Amino acid sequence: METEIFPVDTGTFHGDLVQLLRQIGRFISGTVGVAAMTTTLSNPGAPRDMTVNPGIWMSRLEAIAPIFQRAIKRGELDPDQDVEALFASLAGALYFRIIVMTEPVDDAWIERVLKEAFRK
């Protein structure tokens, strides 16, 4: 279902993030995601929660936490990393692509975002 986001263990942090961002991209490009964004953006005074479920952000963050926990255990991510900010910046790039750039989220965009996020 396009509204569900499930963390996938691909064996690498990069692979896990690609799968996660693909799922988010499908959601925000799908019927429910577009409707939620349209409703939210067309009602600037309305509550900013894009669903009727308060706490969706925290539950989403908890659902994807295993991706970051595995990456820390494998030494692919600094244990002091601000996971919330990292996830927000990665997911935010997808929203920016769709809303501002009016372009689809595809694998090439996801790879560009990840390359820039982890540039050394």
Side-chain angles (χ1 to χ4, degrees):
M1 178 184 269
E2 74 181 19
T3 60
E4 301 294 326
I5 306 289
F6 297 103
V8 176
D9 186 355
T10 65
T12 68
F13 186 45
H14 180 270
D16 292 356
L17 288 176
V18 167
Q19 292 301 315
L20 175 65
L21 296 178
R22 281 179 181 161
Q23 290 178 51
I24 293 169
R26 278 193 301 272
F27 168 72
I28 61 178
S29 300
T31 308
V32 174
V34 169
M37 285 190 296
T38 302
T39 300
T40 300
L41 295 172
S42 64
N43 295 305
R48 296 317 252 165
D49 186 7
M50 290 175 61
T51 70
V52 262
N53 179 3
I56 191 73
W57 169 248
M58 290 312 296
S59 66
R60 198 57 70 122
L61 198 55
E62 288 172 13
I64 64 163
I67 291 172
F68 300 96
Q69 292 163 352
R70 287 190 302 263
I72 290 168
K73 282 183 182 177
R74 290 189 298 244
E76 296 172 297
L77 186 64
D78 187 320
D80 295 328
Q81 178 75 47
D82 184 339
V83 172
E84 183 179 16
L86 175 60
F87 175 63
S89 65
L90 295 173
L94 305 185
Y95 284 89
F96 181 85
R97 174 83 168 178
I98 290 173
I99 296 168
V100 177
M101 298 174 70
T102 65
E103 296 287 338
V105 170
D106 56 17
D107 285 351
W109 178 250
I110 289 170
E111 289 295 341
R112 286 174 61 195
V113 168
L114 290 173
K115 180 180 176 184
E116 289 304 312
F118 295 100
R119 182 184 289 245
K120 294 192 183 213

